[in-house]
Amino acid sequence: MRQFIWAAGLAVLAGLSSANAFAQTKNSAQEQDDYYPLILLGDALEVCSSMAWQRCFDTDWLDVDSMRSDRYLNLSEKSITPLLAGKNWPMRTQVRDDLKEALELLKDRIKQDVVSERVFLEEFTRRATRYMYDQLSEQDWNMMIDYLELPAASDAVYGVNLKATKAGAARDYLEMIVGEAKQAADGETPHVLVVTAAQRDSLDLVNYYLQTFASAGADASWLPLDVAVMAAREADACDELDSYRETEMGAYRRGVVHRELNARQVAFCEAGDVLTQLRNADAVYFADGNPDLLRPLFVTSRNEPNELAVAMAERVAKNKLVVAAAGRSANVLTGKAVLTSGSSREALREGVFAARVPGLGCHKDNTCPRNLNEHSVTYHPMGGIGLFRWGTIDTRMGEQGNHGRLLRVAATNRVPMAVGVDAATALAVNLRSGDFKVAGERGVFVAVGAQQNERAVAAGFHYLMAGSKGRFSNDGVSNVTLASEAEVVQLEPTTNFLSSRGMYDALRLLCRERDSVEVKQDEFTLTLLGGEAATKQKAGAECQVQNARIGMQYAPPEKF
């Protein structure tokens, strides 16, 4: 892996060459050991709001007259005709004609032109039009919703209600991010810079995140930078930003739907100063999204860190900036190979690929890269932003059974360590010392020394529940203190370790005085080995381990 070294000698962003890079820059005013400037969230940051009432204990506080509570779609010819334009359906005339027929049928059924997105989805997936839903790729569906969406009211706001949020972990994450940022701000009200660039529609949730951080006691602003802005700037065509959103991000009519935010982004495209906004921030928050959309903001086409990446690393090294990232955006913060998409099943069966994210349903619109499918595992071999220097990162680990894909990417790129963060979990890291702590409701999976052959992967591993702490080094973790308690998972046990939490249900068996556990799912086998070197400790009903071994194998039936 090519190495990139900071001009000031602070750090190496892609493939860090010195484990002591951050230790070389001291700040005498802030040497506390409990400072964690890097926070990795295992899933999107979701709190109770008017647009997500399912996350609320109650909804009595909602005011639908003043709050944005849903997206609304226009089914009139004015919206449908541009959607069905030939340029949107190249070589797919029959799909376009079928969609026209399905929309006419749906409109005739509901007898109205304007409908909420929730109702539209419910009606579209009913039997009469389900055939059309099954023909559309994720890209097709997003384009349709974009074309049909009515403009958001300029005076409507997200109603964010932290007190009514069901998920206590989400409130804890906010408090953690704002608390660490307050340390960087020397006790003053911290300023959080929100980055939504990883999201296909980078405008849609801007106000949600700004209000969320404001509700947690921070001053928040938006960095209007994304790959569409970068492309428009390079072409000196900021007034054509909407067309660049189509080509670069697969987002349509965003300037019409989000007029005020679009105007701000166009102004930023023309004259915005990224570095000034960064210097005024005490924390940067990267919203969940597509790593392929986020990485180009910090790494040049020659795989070198740009000035924004350098400036961010310098402020982090001086303890002047906290960086937090959610979901797949957290994957980009590594200096090692960046895992971008795919399933463990495909990783074990077909291997992993240095390619762009294929997109769900890419076979339906013929956009899959050659030899890839919608579930193929993809990665970027040259690394990401580089703040987490120890290994490759993955998220939604236990919930999606991502262990197989993480091990494959680590083994393929000879990455010495790989770290997977569960949903409802946060991993906080002191970049100077390597000290870390696990917070939230679930745990963190750490794989060491991953190896592979054509049909199997294996590694040493640790699984640490929330409440654990330890220290990262170049060859693993040390000084580990395991958690004594954990939330009880209210789910039926499963053997599905390829796309669900079967790995952790197998771990429970390992804690029952067993030295090995073997679980089969279809043509795949998961093996966990304890032994004398392993430490096992329960936390509630969950099993934590240190120095155990994991193996995953694909064994298709022999063909005669």
Side-chain angles (χ1 to χ4, degrees):
M1 182 181 292
R2 182 179 177 184
Q3 294 181 332
F4 310 114
I5 304 177
W6 294 119
L10 289 171
V12 174
L13 285 189
L16 200 72
S17 64
S18 170
N20 297 318
F22 280 92
Q24 294 170 1
T25 301
K26 297 291 186 179
N27 186 327
S28 59
Q30 199 169 49
E31 292 294 333
Q32 57 267 49
D33 294 332
D34 61 346
Y35 177 60
Y36 297 90
L38 184 66
I39 300 174
L40 309 177
L41 306 184
D43 205 345
L45 182 57
E46 298 178 337
V47 301
C48 169
S49 74
S50 56
M51 288 286 285
W53 47 265
Q54 303 93 331
R55 303 182 194 124
C56 306
F57 279 121
D58 67 77
T59 56
D60 295 340
W61 54 277
L62 288 175
D63 183 355
V64 295
D65 294 326
S66 63
M67 296 177 181
R68 189 180 180 210
S69 57
D70 210 337
R71 294 184 183 87
Y72 286 89
L73 309 182
N74 184 0
L75 302 183
S76 69
E77 290 297 320
K78 181 180 179 181
S79 297
I80 291 177
T81 299
L83 165 65
L84 299 176
K87 70 180 182 67
N88 293 330
W89 307 93
M91 309 297 291
R92 301 176 71 212
T93 303
Q94 187 60 54
V95 175
R96 180 196 63 183
D97 293 345
D98 288 348
L99 177 59
K100 179 181 180 181
E101 179 181 332
L103 290 173
E104 290 173 349
L105 180 62
L106 187 150
K107 184 178 176 180
D108 183 65
R109 188 165 64 226
I110 61 178
K111 306 295 185 184
Q112 55 188 20
D113 283 346
V114 176
V115 62
S116 73
E117 184 182 15
R118 290 188 179 94
V119 171
F120 179 82
L121 175 60
E122 180 181 337
E123 292 294 327
F124 202 92
T125 53
R126 286 175 59 178
R127 180 177 300 176
T129 49
R130 178 76 193 198
Y131 76 96
M132 188 66 241
Y133 180 81
D134 293 335
Q135 288 188 63
L136 298 178
S137 67
E138 181 183 39
Q139 181 173 303
D140 292 335
W141 180 266
N142 289 335
M143 179 176 66
M144 178 175 66
I145 298 299
D146 284 356
Y147 268 97
L148 300 180
E149 186 175 2
L150 285 169
S154 59
D155 58 346
V157 297
Y158 277 92
V160 172
N161 191 330
L162 295 184
K163 292 182 179 179
T165 299
K166 289 181 181 178
R171 296 192 301 271
D172 294 342
Y173 302 155
L174 279 169
E175 292 177 1
M176 179 186 296
I177 295 169
V178 173
E180 299 298 328
K182 193 170 184 179
Q183 291 193 59
D186 296 326
E188 301 294 327
T189 299
H191 180 79
V192 178
L193 188 62
V194 172
V195 182
T196 55
Q199 298 177 336
R200 182 192 67 87
D201 180 357
S202 66
L203 305 183
D204 185 51
L205 295 178
V206 169
N207 289 326
Y208 162 75
Y209 286 115
L210 294 181
Q211 292 175 45
T212 296
F213 280 102
S215 297
D219 174 30
S221 65
W222 172 48
L223 179 65
L225 182 65
D226 57 32
V227 292
V229 170
M230 291 178 64
R233 272 185 169 180
E234 185 175 349
D236 193 21
C238 291
D239 58 335
E240 301 175 21
L241 189 55
D242 238 3
S243 65
Y244 284 96
R245 293 191 185 106
E246 292 185 21
T247 57
E248 303 296 324
M249 307 179 75
Y252 300 80
R253 296 180 61 254
R254 298 302 85 194
V256 175
V257 173
H258 303 290
R259 290 193 177 97
E260 182 180 348
L261 291 172
N262 173 69
R264 289 171 59 187
Q265 194 169 44
V266 169
F268 175 83
C269 179
E270 293 172 341
D273 185 350
V274 179
L275 296 183
T276 296
Q277 286 195 251
L278 182 65
R279 294 188 189 105
N280 292 332
D282 303 302
V284 175
Y285 172 75
F286 295 102
D288 182 28
N290 183 345
D292 280 348
L293 296 179
L294 182 59
R295 184 179 180 274
L297 269 62
F298 298 91
V299 183
T300 71
S301 59
R302 299 178 63 182
N303 290 307
E304 297 173 346
N306 63 18
E307 62 177 358
L308 177 58
V310 173
M312 186 168 68
E314 288 176 344
R315 284 183 56 76
V316 171
K318 294 176 181 177
N319 287 346
K320 293 298 184 182
L321 185 70
V322 171
V323 177
R328 287 193 299 161
S329 288
N331 297 13
V332 184
L333 299 189
T334 180
K336 309 297 184 183
V338 178
L339 202 164
T340 55
S341 72
S343 72
S344 289
R345 181 184 291 269
E346 285 300 297
L348 294 170
R349 182 164 53 192
E350 301 291 343
V352 296
F353 302 88
R356 290 186 62 82
V357 175
L360 294 177
C362 61
H363 59 288
K364 298 177 182 179
D365 57 11
N366 301 315
T367 59
C368 294
R370 186 176 180 180
N371 298 325
L372 271 63
N373 62 62
E374 62 180 339
H375 301 300
S376 294
V377 175
T378 57
Y379 67 93
H380 200 292
M382 303 304 289
I385 297 173
L387 294 176
F388 186 83
R389 62 186 183 267
W390 297 278
T392 291
I393 300 168
D394 202 1
T395 46
R396 300 183 179 93
M397 198 66 187
E399 294 68 23
Q400 294 184 352
N402 287 339
H403 306 85
R405 75 178 196 177
L406 180 59
L407 292 176
R408 271 289 197 207
V409 170
T412 299
N413 291 274
R414 298 182 181 179
V415 175
M417 185 170 68
V419 177
V421 185
D422 289 343
T425 306
L427 174 64
V429 186
N430 183 313
L431 295 174
R432 179 169 292 149
S433 65
D435 289 344
F436 68 85
K437 63 180 180 180
V438 184
E441 297 178 359
R442 303 267 44 89
V444 169
F445 172 86
V446 181
V448 180
Q451 298 179 336
Q452 66 178 334
N453 60 31
E454 184 179 356
R455 292 186 174 179
V457 290
F461 82 98
H462 317 276
Y463 182 62
L464 316 175
M465 292 297 297
S468 300
K469 59 184 180 180
R471 176 172 296 172
F472 288 119
S473 63
N474 286 340
D475 55 359
V477 297
S478 60
N479 300 350
V480 172
T481 301
L482 296 174
S484 57
E485 298 179 356
E487 296 286 334
V488 177
V489 176
Q490 303 293 333
L491 295 171
E492 288 293 322
T494 177
T495 57
N496 180 353
F497 58 87
L498 294 173
S499 60
S500 188
R501 57 166 286 115
M503 157 72 175
Y504 298 147
D505 287 329
L507 264 180
R508 290 181 175 183
L509 299 177
L510 199 65
C511 266
R512 295 177 183 174
E513 299 183 358
R514 295 176 60 170
D515 288 332
S516 66
V517 174
E518 184 174 285
V519 179
K520 292 185 179 295
Q521 181 183 347
D522 302 328
E523 301 166 336
F524 302 85
T525 303
L526 166 69
T527 303
L528 303 178
L529 299 175
E532 294 182 0
T535 299
K536 297 179 286 186
Q537 178 176 310
K538 289 185 178 180
E542 299 301 314
C543 178
Q544 303 172 103
V545 299
Q546 288 182 262
N547 303 315
R549 297 286 297 173
I550 181 173
M552 305 180 82
Q553 182 179 18
Y554 170 55
E558 296 293 336
K559 295 182 179 179
F560 298 98

